[in-house]
Amino acid sequence: MQDLKCQKCNTHFVTETISGVTVKMCTKCRLVFIDGIEVTRLREGHNAYNKDPGGSSGYETTKATHIVSEKCPRCEVELRDEEYIQNSNIHFKLCDKCLSIIFEAGELNKLKQYQISPTTKIYDEFEELFPVMKKVMAG
Ligand SMILES: [Zn+2]
Ligand SMILES: [Zn+2]
């Protein structure tokens, strides 16, 4: 397995396996990197993931999408910034090439606080959406 470094602080990622899914974390800035292979596995577990081998990442494109200057730790391709849920102001970065996703610590905190309704935080619903991310945030 490649020895990847955080694109922000050049620190080697620590690899953790949560529920059988490998997640990489930066011990310095708490950035979380989830490999595209793992993302695909997660999504397959959640719903039928109609991956178009030609290109589409499977994410719905929002207006907030734009390319950022940071590069994917794996393939050096510039990352795309996406809003996690429309109008949530929670962003993650996506590599169009390897489909890896990257959450920064600040975004994870916002995600943790985000209310999808007056009584429900997205965190409470996370088990269904993205079980591994819930465990990452709890850790
Ligand atoms: Zn870092
Ligand atoms: Zn990549």
Side-chain angles (χ1 to χ4, degrees):
M1 187 172 278
Q2 273 177 277
D3 190 18
L4 302 178
K5 287 178 182 176
C6 175
Q7 82 271 20
K8 278 198 176 302
C9 32
N10 210 30
T11 302
H12 286 276
F13 285 126
V14 174
T15 301
E16 275 191 44
T17 303
I18 304 167
S19 303
V21 177
T22 305
V23 174
K24 292 176 171 48
M25 278 185 248
C26 173
T27 50
K28 199 173 169 190
C29 70
R30 308 296 298 165
L31 176 143
V32 174
F33 175 90
I34 305 177
D35 197 284
I37 300 157
E38 303 293 335
V39 174
T40 304
R41 277 177 54 203
L42 286 171
R43 294 175 76 88
E44 274 170 353
H46 179 57
N47 53 25
Y49 180 53
N50 302 316
K51 187 166 173 284
D52 170 10
S56 167
S57 66
Y59 288 96
E60 281 183 39
T61 311
T62 66
K63 285 176 189 159
T65 289
H66 65 278
I67 303 292
V68 292
S69 58
E70 287 170 40
K71 289 182 177 172
C72 174
R74 181 178 293 287
C75 36
E76 302 281 302
V77 167
E78 285 185 331
L79 296 168
R80 192 150 51 85
D81 180 285
E82 292 226 352
E83 198 169 30
Y84 187 70
I85 299 163
Q86 222 163 358
N87 302 320
S88 66
N89 200 30
I90 300 164
H91 294 257
F92 66 95
K93 287 164 194 146
L94 169 72
C95 173
D96 281 323
K97 194 177 172 194
C98 69
L99 304 183
S100 296
I101 59 172
I102 294 162
F103 272 101
E104 287 177 29
E107 303 302 310
L108 282 178
N109 285 335
K110 277 196 260 175
L111 194 55
K112 210 165 176 173
Q113 301 304 324
Y114 188 70
Q115 305 262 151
I116 48 174
S117 78
T119 52
T120 317
K121 281 184 182 177
I122 192 161
Y123 189 70
D124 300 320
E125 297 283 303
F126 233 59
E127 203 69 67
E128 206 179 302
L129 284 171
F130 231 124
V132 169
M133 289 307 294
K134 183 169 181 175
K135 283 169 184 160
V136 167
M137 291 194 295

